[in-house]
Amino acid sequence: MAVHAANAVDKRRSLLHETRCQNCSLSSLCLPLALEVEDMEQFDAIIRRRAPLKKGESLFRQGNAFNSVYAVRSGSLKQITTEGSGDDQVTNFYLPSELVGLDGIDEQAYPGSVIALETTTVCEIPFDRLDSLSEILPELRGQLYRSMSKELRDDRRMMRLLSRKTADQRLASFFSSLSDRFRRRGYSPHSFRLSMSRADIGNYLGLAVETVSRILGRFQQQGLVEVSGREVNILNLEALVTQAQEEH
Amino acid sequence: MAVHAANAVDKRRSLLHETRCQNCSLSSLCLPLALEVEDMEQFDAIIRRRAPLKKGESLFRQGNAFNSVYAVRSGSLKQITTEGSGDDQVTNFYLPSELVGLDGIDEQAYPGSVIALETTTVCEIPFDRLDSLSEILPELRGQLYRSMSKELRDDRRMMRLLSRKTADQRLASFFSSLSDRFRRRGYSPHSFRLSMSRADIGNYLGLAVETVSRILGRFQQQGLVEVSGREVNILNLEALVTQAQEEH
DNA sequence: TCACCTCCTTGATCGTGATCATGGCTGCAT
DNA sequence: ATGCAGCCATGATCACGATCAAGGAGGTGA
């Protein structure tokens, strides 16, 4: 009987192209990374898989009630916060294994819209259940604290970038950071495809699109990268990292 | 016997001008805000009061091992992150009831130095004990999540400020935000003393000191504020808030 | 009282990156 | 093929705020 029920669940999951945390290639980067197998099953049980988002679709909109956080499974998304009329700001890009929505806990509403940059799948994690589970799984709780803490650190780095770095340094930072994030996820750190437009990049880095274009052109002339549309080849990561960290 | 021990503790505390969370005027803003009386006693028990910091002294330095978070009790502090040689960046100001050090959890080291801007007292909260206590006190855990989430939201607001706002808007934002924070803490939202220098403000907002000075002068001419050294009188908070939010 | 130091203000000039304007490229529908 | 739309590149000009320079205000110690 219990077996039947379990099978039914499994069947539904496989129909939706879903797998379990235990089999997920991202489990070493994702929230349950510190969990033992039996604990991971408990965690897995609270997760809701969602149908893939198509490019341009939103996971949620700014102001929607906060119920869940989401772990990116594949694809990528951007977070956009709007203030007043038409003044959009890209505040984050999310890659696989990253957690989306943590900034909505406080006000019980999402402070920005999150939009898929390509076909993207996410795992939905209802926050009240995550919170309850974090009560009995100290490792999970610790991981949640660490995730939020890391996001705080990253934000501080971003503030430094926005307030003290030149346009060149910002782009160098952006590309070396992307390269690093891809590397950690097992992709090539040298060759990848940007899922976001130049406009998104510029908006995120506090630069005009034209500036992004011009500087990418210059980087290419300097032999740092090879860019063709959204295909990127990093030729000299070393130099890019140096460039990103240089004093004015 | 137990009574004696308790008295001894009380005595030591009062010698150090310390009180308990239960009597603290900030308890409605601080971490234990959601706790019942008996729970607050448990929380109170893990807190270590520290001798006041004098102006310019540091609570901890960038890179120090992370052991505790701190709640500001009185006074104020700034967080500074240094990269390379001499490139300092002020990434935060902390006022009473705010939590310091949450961004150190992830790497078990503080990502920036935190320095008193005036005579300042803090409550030290050892993080491992806080974590343990958050296991049995769901309200405390929730409050911790909310604190971090709020900081994330504030960071996003800061990013928007740094990447899209003019110098005038940044200062208008800064003053209206300060005013609001003072108001919430029961101080006058119209009249207060800045504990940070113009240089600190400029650094924090991504502006040169000269620009800060000039714009404050202009605000004064426009009748928005009255500034004399570090004494601030906000004459037209309304206009300041509008100014801060205006599209370019 | 004076010298000294830090913090702040004000003026003049310069440079980075925004803005405006245009044209090319790519993909897509018909 | 053709037209259209979104995205990207490049050139010309402009403006905001940085930087350089100098001087004033206020506090502190000899």
Side-chain angles (χ1 to χ4, degrees):
Chain A
M1 208 172 93
V3 173
H4 274 111
N7 280 344
V9 169
D10 282 352
K11 191 174 171 192
R12 189 165 52 83
R13 281 194 174 163
S14 75
L15 282 174
L16 293 169
H17 305 280
E18 292 165 353
T19 61
R20 307 170 69 218
C21 286
Q22 292 85 327
N23 308 321
C24 179
S25 62
L26 294 169
S27 64
S28 65
L29 295 162
C30 194
L31 246 196
L33 77 95
L35 300 184
E36 303 292 334
V37 175
E38 58 265 37
D39 294 342
M40 202 182 286
E41 278 169 14
Q42 289 196 65
F43 178 76
D44 185 74
I46 70 170
I47 290 187
R48 289 204 283 261
R49 274 74 182 182
R50 308 242 307 199
L53 292 166
K54 288 198 282 285
K55 179 175 174 172
E57 286 181 346
S58 60
L59 183 54
F60 49 74
R61 313 290 303 182
Q62 182 168 344
N64 283 175
F66 170 86
N67 289 308
S68 301
V69 298
Y70 299 85
V72 183
R73 199 169 170 71
S74 69
S76 54
L77 309 103
K78 63 177 172 182
Q79 182 184 49
I80 292 195
T81 63
T82 306
E83 191 175 86
S85 50
D87 181 28
D88 283 0
Q89 160 83 354
V90 175
T91 43
N92 233 333
F93 295 114
Y94 297 102
L95 296 188
S97 88
E98 291 175 339
L99 280 180
V100 181
L102 289 170
D103 46 8
I105 297 176
D106 178 38
E107 300 206 316
Q108 290 291 300
Y110 298 105
S113 303
V114 169
I115 296 170
L117 292 168
E118 58 196 310
T119 302
T120 295
T121 58
V122 299
C123 300
E124 176 175 359
I125 311 169
F127 187 74
D128 53 353
R129 307 199 60 183
L130 177 60
D131 179 40
S132 303
L133 200 57
S134 81
E135 180 166 313
I136 55 177
L137 300 179
E139 288 79 12
L140 180 63
R141 189 173 64 244
Q143 192 53 37
L144 197 46
Y145 288 143
R146 275 192 294 279
S147 293
M148 298 184 83
S149 173
K150 175 169 176 0
E151 209 167 331
L152 287 174
R153 263 193 312 106
D154 289 345
D155 286 354
R156 303 287 145 88
R157 276 208 5 248
M158 194 64 193
M159 288 181 208
R160 169 187 289 279
L161 179 145
L162 289 173
S163 81
R164 313 203 78 72
K165 300 207 173 184
T166 64
D168 292 65
Q169 293 174 316
R170 295 183 197 194
L171 271 156
S173 260
F174 181 70
F175 277 94
S176 43
S177 159
L178 261 192
S179 166
D180 190 51
R181 285 159 82 187
F182 282 129
R183 190 180 50 71
R184 286 179 198 275
R185 281 164 185 74
Y187 304 117
S188 165
H190 297 293
S191 174
F192 47 84
R193 178 167 221 288
L194 299 173
S195 58
M196 66 294 283
S197 68
R198 303 282 191 275
D200 286 335
I201 297 174
N203 187 309
Y204 177 62
L205 296 175
L207 299 172
V209 202
E210 294 92 327
T211 306
V212 175
S213 241
R214 270 186 257 274
I215 292 175
L216 285 189
R218 205 181 314 147
F219 280 0
Q220 186 144 0
Q221 284 190 334
Q222 296 169 344
L224 297 177
V225 296
E226 203 171 49
V227 185
S228 165
R230 298 195 173 182
E231 290 299 331
V232 176
N233 246 296
I234 297 193
L235 303 175
N236 193 344
L237 184 54
E238 237 353 61
L240 220 48
V241 171
T242 311
Q243 164 99 264
Q245 290 172 345
E246 249 160 30
E247 319 274 311
H248 267 229
Chain B
M1 208 171 95
V3 172
H4 274 112
N7 280 343
V9 168
D10 282 353
K11 191 175 172 192
R12 188 167 51 83
R13 281 194 175 165
S14 76
L15 281 175
L16 293 169
H17 304 280
E18 292 164 351
T19 60
R20 308 168 69 218
C21 284
Q22 292 86 327
N23 308 320
C24 179
S25 62
L26 294 169
S27 63
S28 64
L29 295 162
C30 194
L31 246 196
L33 77 95
L35 300 184
E36 302 293 333
V37 175
E38 57 266 37
D39 294 342
M40 202 183 285
E41 277 168 16
Q42 288 196 65
F43 178 76
D44 185 74
I46 69 171
I47 289 187
R48 289 204 283 259
R49 273 75 183 184
R50 309 242 307 198
L53 292 166
K54 288 199 281 284
K55 179 176 174 173
E57 286 181 346
S58 61
L59 184 54
F60 49 75
R61 314 290 304 181
Q62 183 168 345
N64 283 175
F66 169 86
N67 289 307
S68 302
V69 297
Y70 299 85
V72 183
R73 198 168 171 69
S74 69
S76 55
L77 311 103
K78 62 177 173 183
Q79 182 184 49
I80 292 194
T81 64
T82 306
E83 192 175 85
S85 51
D87 181 28
D88 283 359
Q89 160 84 355
V90 175
T91 43
N92 232 334
F93 295 114
Y94 296 102
L95 296 187
S97 87
E98 291 175 337
L99 281 180
V100 181
L102 290 169
D103 46 7
I105 297 175
D106 178 39
E107 298 205 317
Q108 289 291 299
Y110 298 105
S113 302
V114 169
I115 296 171
L117 293 167
E118 58 195 310
T119 302
T120 295
T121 57
V122 300
C123 300
E124 176 175 359
I125 312 169
F127 188 73
D128 53 353
R129 307 199 59 182
L130 177 60
D131 179 40
S132 303
L133 201 56
S134 81
E135 181 167 314
I136 56 177
L137 299 179
E139 289 80 11
L140 180 62
R141 189 172 66 244
Q143 192 53 36
L144 197 46
Y145 288 143
R146 275 192 294 279
S147 293
M148 299 184 82
S149 173
K150 173 167 176 8
E151 211 168 331
L152 286 174
R153 263 193 312 107
D154 289 345
D155 285 356
R156 304 287 144 86
R157 276 210 2 249
M158 193 63 193
M159 289 183 207
R160 167 187 290 278
L161 179 145
L162 289 173
S163 81
R164 312 202 78 72
K165 299 206 174 184
T166 63
D168 292 65
Q169 293 174 316
R170 294 183 198 195
L171 271 156
S173 260
F174 181 70
F175 277 95
S176 43
S177 159
L178 261 192
S179 165
D180 190 52
R181 286 159 83 187
F182 282 128
R183 191 180 50 71
R184 287 180 197 275
R185 281 165 186 75
Y187 303 119
S188 165
H190 297 294
S191 175
F192 47 84
R193 179 166 220 289
L194 299 173
S195 59
M196 66 292 284
S197 69
R198 302 284 191 274
D200 286 335
I201 297 174
N203 187 309
Y204 177 62
L205 296 176
L207 300 172
V209 202
E210 295 93 327
T211 306
V212 175
S213 237
R214 271 187 257 274
I215 292 174
L216 286 189
R218 205 181 313 147
F219 280 0
Q220 186 144 1
Q221 284 191 335
Q222 295 169 346
L224 297 177
V225 296
E226 203 171 48
V227 185
S228 166
R230 297 194 174 184
E231 290 299 331
V232 176
N233 245 296
I234 296 193
L235 303 175
N236 193 343
L237 183 54
E238 198 63 6
L240 220 48
V241 172
T242 311
Q243 164 98 265
Q245 291 171 344
E246 248 160 31
E247 321 273 311
H248 266 229

